[in-house]
Amino acid sequence: MSFAVQAQTRLQPTLDAEAVFTSNGNFNAIGPKQRDTVLTVSPGLNVNVVGANSSLIGQWQFKATHSFQGLQPDSVIPSGNLKLHTDVNRSGAGLDASLGSAQVASTLATSNAGTVSVSNQYTNTEWRLSPYFTRALDERTVLSARLTRGLQQTSQVDNTLASRPDAHLRDDSISLTQQPAPLGYTVSRAWQSTRSAGQADPVLSTDSSKAIVRYALNTELVLGVQTGVERIQAYPTRFVDHPTGLLLDWHPSERSSIASGLQQREFGRAWQLAIHHRTPWMAASIQADRGPTTSLFTIGSVGSGGSARDLFDAMLTTRIPDAQDRAAAVDSLLTSRNIPTQLNGSRDFYSLTAQLRQTVNGRFVLMGRRDTWLNQAGLIKTSPLDTGTSSDPLSLTDPRHTRQYYVESQLTHQLTTVSSLTGGLRWTRAREQVPGNDPSVSRDFTWRVSLSTNMARDTTATIGLRRVLKHSAASSSSDEAALFMGLGHRF
C-alpha cells in the first residue's frame, strides 16, 4: 500500500519583544535587591518543510537581552529545536538529525522562575545524527537497526561561571521483532555510552543483549517477559547486570493506553510506566521511570517540562487524523486562544557521573468553549549509581542525593474572539544532600496573570504581572514583583 504525500514548504519568520519592569533584577543572580528594566528582542523562524521522502520541522530563535541598570551583561542566546527526517525512496532506510539549544540554571538551587539572569545560566547546544534501517521480513516480522551520535556543547555569557566540558553520545541498536499472534518476540542488542571531553572513561557505558517473549491475550492486552545480560561501566565501577522482568501493553480503547515494565536489576528495581488518555476536550498523561542515566543530553526531555503541544495534538486526533493537518490546527488553536503551552517543569541538575534517576510526571489539559486549563506535577530523585561496591559513600566521585517536587497550573479564559486572560500558579521545592552534611533546601512560589489580545491577524500584545517568592537555605531569601509587556508578530 502506498500513500501520496503532498509536498509543502512553510517558513514563517517571527519577532517577539518583551519589556520587564522588575523590583529585583538580581533575583536569580548574586547581588542586592535592585530595580531594573530588562528588554528582550527575539527574532526567530518557524520551519515546516515536508516532501515526498523527507521533512524538516521545528523552530529556532535568537534572544537578545539588555539590562538598563547593567545588572547583567548584554547577550544574544539561541534556543529552539529542529528535526530532520529522511526516508530514501520510502525504503525504510534514511537519516534522522536534530539540533537543539536550551538554557539551564547553573545550580540546582537556582530558581527557573522570575526574571532570568544570563549571568547565572548555561546554554546547551545539542547535535544528533542517526542513520537507520527498517525492513519488514514478512507481515509480522521487522528487522531494525539504528546508529546515533550526539555532541553537546555548553557555553556561558558570564566567564566567572566554571566552564563545562563537551559531551559525546553513542546509542546503537539492532533488533528483530515479531508481533504476537498470539505469540511474538523481540531479540535485540544495544550499545550506549556518554563521554565527557577530557575524561578517559565514559560517564556511563552499557552493552546489553535482551530477549522478550510476548503473548496477546486479546487484541487489546499483551503480556511479556524479558531477560538479558548487560555490562555496565559507571565510573569508577564496572559490573554485569542480568535484568529480568515483566511487560504489559494494554489498550482498553482507541483513546487510552497503558504501557509498563518492571525489572529486577543489580542496583534494585527498575520500571517504566506510560499512561495516556484523550477525549475531544481533554488529554492526560502519566509517565514514570527508574533507572541509570546521566544529566547530559536532556534537551526535549518530556519528564521535566517543555512544551505541552502533544496534549493538544492528542485531543484533535479523532477530528483530524492526518498528522500534518493536525499540527497546523494545533498552531491555529494556540494562536487564536493565546494559550501559553510552555511548562517550566523541574530545575536543572548537572553531574559528570552516572546517576540512578527516578521520575514521575503527570500532565492534564481540559478545554472548553472559552476556557483552557493546563496542569502538571512531578517528582525527580537522583542518587549516585552505586551497586554497593563502595563502602564509603563519600568516596564516590559525586555523592550528592537530590529530590525535586514541582506543581504548576494555568487557566486561560477567552474574553472575546481576540482577547484572553491567563492566570497561573507554580511551586517548586529542591533538596540536595551530601551524606554526613545537612541538606540544602530551596523552594519558590509564583503567581502570574496576563492579558493578551490579537491586534491584527498575526500580531499579539500581552501585558501582565507576576510575583515570585524564593527561600533558600544556602543563600538569603528573595522576592520579585514584575510588570511585563510583550508584542509578538508572525510574518
Side-chain angles (χ1 to χ4, degrees), residues 4 6 35 50 63-64 73 111 171 182 192 213 222 243 299 332 350 364 378 383 395 404 455 466 475 487:
Q6 182 178 1
R35 294 182 180 179
V50 179
K63 183 179 296 185
S111 170
D171 188 355
Q192 295 178 324
V213 177
V222 177
I299 291 179
S332 177
Y350 179 80
F364 170 79
S383 60
S395 67
Q404 302 180 55
M455 301 178 63
R466 71 165 175 257
S475 60
L487 189 65

Side-chain angles (χ1 to χ4, degrees), residues 82-132:
L82 295 171
K83 294 184 178 181
L84 171 70
H85 172 73
T86 64
D87 187 349
V88 180
N89 294 325
R90 297 194 168 272
S91 62
L95 174 70
D96 289 337
S98 66
L99 170 63
S101 187
Q103 285 66 53
V104 298
S106 59
T107 66
L108 183 65
T110 301
S111 170
N112 53 9
T115 300
V116 174
S117 174
V118 297
S119 61
N120 199 22
Q121 68 177 10
Y122 293 90
T123 296
N124 289 340
T125 301
E126 181 179 311
W127 308 75
R128 292 199 189 195
L129 289 175
S130 183
Y132 68 91

Side-chain angles (χ1 to χ4, degrees), residues 130-356:
S130 183
Y132 68 91
F133 172 82
T134 302
R135 176 63 58 87
L137 304 182
D138 57 43
E139 61 181 13
R140 292 177 51 205
T141 309
V142 176
L143 175 65
S144 302
R146 181 179 288 272
L147 305 177
T148 302
R149 296 294 181 270
L151 170 65
Q152 185 182 87
Q153 297 176 307
T154 301
S155 61
Q156 68 272 12
V157 174
D158 192 340
N159 292 327
T160 61
L161 290 177
S163 61
R164 292 180 175 179
D166 295 346
H168 301 268
L169 171 73
R170 175 196 178 194
D171 188 355
D172 304 334
S173 63
I174 183 170
S175 65
L176 180 65
T177 299
Q178 185 178 86
Q179 296 301 319
L183 277 175
Y185 64 86
T186 296
V187 289
S188 63
R189 186 78 189 275
W191 304 262
Q192 295 178 324
S193 69
T194 304
R195 184 183 300 274
S196 179
Q199 285 188 336
D201 296 305
V203 177
L204 178 64
S205 176
T206 62
D207 180 352
S208 63
S209 301
K210 182 169 59 177
I212 300 174
V213 177
R214 296 182 177 89
Y215 182 79
L217 297 178
N218 49 50
T219 56
E220 293 85 20
L221 180 60
V222 177
L223 302 179
V225 295
Q226 73 171 53
T227 186
V229 59
E230 186 170 11
R231 294 172 177 83
I232 300 178
Q233 178 180 351
Y235 182 80
T237 62
R238 300 177 185 230
F239 57 94
V240 177
D241 197 2
H242 296 85
T244 57
L246 304 175
L247 302 173
L248 179 145
D249 191 2
W250 184 30
H251 295 262
S253 71
E254 65 174 6
R255 296 178 175 179
S256 303
S257 66
I258 300 175
S260 64
L262 176 65
Q263 303 91 35
Q264 183 64 42
R265 304 289 300 268
E266 186 76 15
F267 49 81
R269 288 187 177 90
W271 58 76
Q272 307 84 35
L273 174 67
I275 302 175
H276 299 278
H277 180 67
R278 62 178 175 85
T279 70
W281 48 268
M282 183 271 290
S285 70
I286 298 175
Q287 293 179 293
D289 62 74
R290 184 179 190 264
T293 186
T294 72
S295 62
L296 307 174
F297 294 96
T298 56
I299 291 179
S301 175
V302 174
S304 59
S307 174
R309 288 179 57 90
D310 60 312
L311 294 177
F312 294 96
D313 185 89
M315 282 191 295
L316 298 179
T317 299
T318 301
R319 284 174 281 182
I320 310 176
D322 182 78
Q324 298 297 330
D325 293 342
R326 192 166 62 249
V330 171
D331 287 336
S332 177
L333 171 67
L334 300 180
T335 301
S336 63
R337 295 199 175 200
N338 294 318
I339 300 174
T341 64
Q342 202 66 20
L343 300 173
N344 288 320
S346 62
R347 304 188 191 185
D348 300 291
F349 173 68
Y350 179 80
S351 175
L352 286 176
T353 64
Q355 302 290 317
L356 180 60

